[in-house]
Amino acid sequence: DGRIFQALKAAIEAEGAICEVVAPFSGEVKTSDGKTIKVDEKIDGGPSVLYDAIALLPHETEIEALSKHPAAQAFVKDAFYHQKFIAYTDDASLLITRAGVADLLDSGCINLSGDGAEKEFVNACRKIRHWKRC
């Protein structure tokens, strides 16, 4: 969802943080509203260990293929077990399930469907990690 991405990116940048887009391919990704976003890193070249937090914003038409991608599964699983904050949309549920963490989601995992959820996520990220998950 382009609206969610733009709101999240604005909240991240307002915090003075950096927002990078990771995808299974280089180039650009298309949002559900038809806009394009530049990809900064390929998922198999930029594992989640390189990031302080992650946001899962897959396009609903791409989630089936993405959720079968071993690097995408590892990206999510590693982020979870490294106590990172994870933002996600409902469209990411299949990827979260196939990564093996769907039944483990906790307060460090924030669904972006609610109003102001992107700010809630950015505020949570100030703690760097969700240590309660240990």
Side-chain angles (χ1 to χ4, degrees), residues 27-100:
E28 296 179 331
V29 292
K30 189 174 263 190
T31 63
S32 57
D33 57 4
K35 296 180 180 173
T36 57
I37 301 168
K38 179 185 171 291
V39 172
D40 298 298
E41 186 69 62
K42 286 180 60 179
I43 200 160
D44 52 0
S48 63
V49 71
L50 298 176
Y51 302 98
D52 290 324
I54 67 166
L56 306 172
L57 309 174
H59 194 287
E60 62 186 10
T61 62
E62 302 295 327
I63 190 58
E64 180 65 36
L66 180 64
S67 67
K68 291 179 182 177
H69 197 298
Q73 293 173 10
F75 190 90
V76 174
K77 187 174 196 169
D78 289 349
F80 183 84
Y81 285 109
H82 289 136
Q83 289 84 28
K84 296 179 187 234
F85 287 96
I86 300 171
Y88 64 95
T89 60
D90 292 336
D91 289 334
S93 62
L94 183 59
L95 175 57
I96 293 168
T97 298
R98 288 188 175 158

Side-chain angles (χ1 to χ4, degrees), residues 83-85 106-108 128-134:
Q83 289 84 28
K84 296 179 187 234
F85 287 96
D106 54 31
S107 61
I128 306 299
R129 294 286 184 274
H130 186 65
W131 297 117
K132 294 178 184 178
R133 198 175 291 146
C134 292

